[in-house]
Amino acid sequence: MPQMNRDQRNAAWQAANQWRARAAQTQPNGLAGSLKLLFTWLAFGALMLVGVVLGLFFLFIGWAMMPFVRHKMKKRMEQLRAQQAQDIGGGYSQQGHASPQASPHRRPDHQDALEGSYEVKNDR
């Protein structure tokens, strides 16, 4: 029996025995204890049902709002793109130039390029 003696000195074994003793003391005794246990489980179940119903409600509300939020974000992105867009036509009609080839040695304006400035160099 040295095995049993060693288990009884183990701290985990002693804690388990203490839990077992407390659980035996808190068992529902009689009708009052049984009713208390029943109402505790009913209250717990009701709270779980309320939580699930609220969770599903907010989930469906979120799903229903997604198209509206997507539309709003799409409009906002279009506005941002329009604000940041550059005139890619070059603005020749406003400046009086007929075409970009009218003055080939002219340095391109910032409106002539989509991104940055560049210059075409001849090989000669």
Side-chain angles (χ1 to χ4, degrees), residues 21-42:
R22 275 192 250 156
Q25 290 174 357
T26 58
Q27 288 293 322
N29 298 327
L31 184 61
S34 296
L35 285 176
K36 185 178 178 183
L37 185 63
L38 176 70
F39 285 130
T40 302
W41 276 104
L42 286 176

Side-chain angles (χ1 to χ4, degrees), residues 94-107:
Q94 290 105 3
Q95 295 176 358
H97 296 291
S99 69
Q101 291 82 13
S103 58
H105 299 291
R106 179 177 67 89
R107 185 177 177 147

Side-chain angles (χ1 to χ4, degrees), residues 47-97:
L47 285 175
M48 289 295 288
L49 284 175
V50 168
V52 167
V53 167
L54 282 175
L56 287 174
F57 174 74
F58 285 118
L59 176 74
F60 290 136
I61 291 294
W63 281 348
M65 288 177 60
M66 274 185 169
F68 300 112
V69 172
R70 182 178 179 269
H71 179 73
K72 185 177 179 180
M73 294 298 290
K74 190 176 179 182
K75 290 291 184 185
R76 185 180 296 168
M77 288 304 297
E78 287 175 2
Q79 286 177 350
L80 285 174
R81 284 191 191 119
Q83 288 174 357
Q84 293 177 354
Q86 294 178 356
D87 182 13
I88 59 172
Y92 294 113
S93 61
Q94 290 105 3
Q95 295 176 358
H97 296 291

